[in-house]
Amino acid sequence: MKVLVAVKRVIDYNVKIRVKADHSDVDLTNVKMAMNPFCEIAVEEAVRLKEKGIASEIVAVTVGPKAAQEQLRTALALGADRAIHVATDERVESLAVAKLLKRVADEEQPQLVILGKQAIDTDNNQTGQMLAALTGWGQGTFASKVDVKDGTVDVTREIDGGLQTVALKLPAVVTTDLRLNEPRYAKLPDIMKAKKKPLDTKTPEELGVDIASKVSLLQAEAPAERKGGIKVGSVDELLDKLKNEAKVIS
Ligand code: AMP
C-alpha cells in the first residue's frame, strides 16, 4: 500500500511571530522554519504503517519554495522513501494545494493520503477536506487512531464531547490530530541517508494547476500586548479586584 504524506514548511512553533512594519504579512526574515507539527504526526503515522508491514512505500510531498526541500529531507530522514517538491514562490491557497495534491495523487495512485488537520501558520484546516472532495475519496479528519484493514481504514476522530469511529473505503484521505501519535526525532545516520533518497521537483504548470490566488491578504496584526500580572496581598484583595476592576464576578 502506497501512502502519500503532505508536509508543509511553516514558522517553527517556538518562534514569536513578528508582523512586517507595513502590516502586509508576517515577517519571515531570518525566522526559524520547521515542518508543521501536524505534518510530523502524519509522517510518523505513515512510518508506523510501514513498520507494521501495512504500507510498502511512503511518498512525502510539499508545495512551496526551494527551501521547503528541507522539510522533505526531514520526512525522508524520518522514514519516507521518496519525496516530491512542487516548487513555487507564490503564496498558495488551500484549494490550489489540494488541486496540486490531487494531481500528484492521480500520478502516484496512493491508497492513503495523510495530511495534518491544520497548518499552524494559516490555520485553515481545509486542505484535506478539499482533497477528499476533489478526489471523491472518503475523509477521516482529526484522526486520533488509524486502523488499516483489508480495503478499508477505520479512523477514530476527536469530536466535541467524545470520539467517533468511521470506516472509509480505500483510497482515502486522513488528517491527523494531536493525540494520534508522538513523532520520533530523526537520528543522525538517517539524516545522512536521507540526503541520498530521491527527491523530484515539479511545477504547478507541469501539473496543469492554476495557483492564482482568489483571496488577497489585506492586513496582518500582531495580538495585543499582554499586560504584566500583579501579586495580591490577600484573598480579600483578590476578590475585590475581580469584582471591582476586572468585573468578572459580582
Ligand atoms: P491547512 O488546510 O492549510 O490548515 O493545512 C492542513 C494540512 O494540509 C497540512 O498539515 C499539510 O498536511 C497540508 N498542506 C497545507 N499546505 C501545504 C503545502 N503548501 N504543502 C504540502 N502540504 C500542505
Side-chain angles (χ1 to χ4, degrees):
M1 180 175 98
K2 191 192 278 189
V3 181
L4 193 66
V5 186
V7 299
K8 185 176 185 193
R9 175 182 174 85
V10 297
I11 294 185
D12 187 284
Y13 72 94
N14 290 303
V15 169
K16 189 167 184 305
I17 308 286
R18 274 180 289 119
V19 167
K20 285 183 184 173
D22 65 0
H23 295 271
S24 59
D25 204 345
V26 167
D27 191 354
L28 295 183
T29 324
N30 297 325
V31 168
K32 184 172 179 236
M33 305 293 282
M35 187 188 295
N36 181 46
F38 292 105
C39 302
E40 288 181 347
I41 297 173
V43 174
E44 176 67 32
E45 197 60 21
V47 173
R48 290 188 188 189
L49 288 174
K50 194 163 178 207
E51 286 170 345
K52 282 188 209 151
I54 295 169
S56 50
E57 189 183 25
I58 302 168
V59 182
V61 54
T62 197
V63 179
K66 177 124 204 283
Q69 290 189 7
E70 281 172 30
Q71 281 60 51
L72 288 178
R73 290 289 170 205
T74 303
L76 293 168
L78 290 169
D81 297 288
R82 56 191 178 83
I84 299 171
H85 174 211
V86 182
T88 174
D89 289 326
E90 302 296 316
R91 196 170 57 84
V92 193
E93 289 163 3
S94 302
L95 183 57
V97 174
K99 286 179 182 172
L100 292 164
L101 293 175
K102 155 87 168 71
R103 289 290 299 118
V104 173
D106 288 344
E107 286 179 10
E108 294 288 338
Q109 298 285 313
Q111 288 296 97
L112 194 61
V113 186
I114 313 182
L115 306 91
K117 75 165 179 184
Q118 187 173 343
I120 62 161
D121 53 357
T122 47
D123 270 351
N124 284 330
N125 177 6
Q126 54 192 12
T127 310
Q129 293 87 329
M130 287 176 168
L131 176 64
L134 293 170
T135 50
W137 297 347
Q139 57 179 293
T141 50
F142 317 127
S144 63
K145 188 163 176 244
V146 171
D147 189 6
V148 178
K149 303 190 165 154
D150 198 21
T152 61
V153 55
D154 287 358
V155 177
T156 302
R157 311 182 54 233
E158 298 206 352
I159 57 170
D160 278 353
L163 298 173
Q164 178 194 60
T165 303
V166 292
L168 315 172
K169 256 195 359 215
L170 296 176
V173 176
V174 168
T175 73
T176 61
D177 215 327
L178 208 57
R179 277 162 288 273
L180 178 58
N181 61 48
E182 211 171 293
R184 69 196 70 190
Y185 293 102
K187 297 195 199 91
L188 190 58
D190 294 331
I191 295 172
M192 301 313 284
K193 272 190 231 152
K195 293 186 178 165
K196 298 210 175 86
K197 289 190 180 177
L199 190 159
D200 283 348
T201 302
K202 296 174 189 286
T203 62
E205 296 73 42
E206 282 164 0
L207 292 169
V209 176
D210 173 12
I211 60 162
S213 289
K214 310 273 188 298
V215 178
S216 323
L217 173 55
L218 297 181
Q219 189 169 316
E221 291 289 343
E225 287 286 323
R226 286 178 69 176
K227 287 196 207 133
I230 55 157
K231 216 170 177 177
V232 289
S234 66
V235 172
D236 285 344
E237 193 187 341
L238 173 65
L239 289 173
D240 178 64
K241 285 192 181 299
L242 290 174
K243 199 169 172 182
N244 300 315
E245 284 182 25
K247 298 195 191 322
V248 289
I249 57 170
S250 49

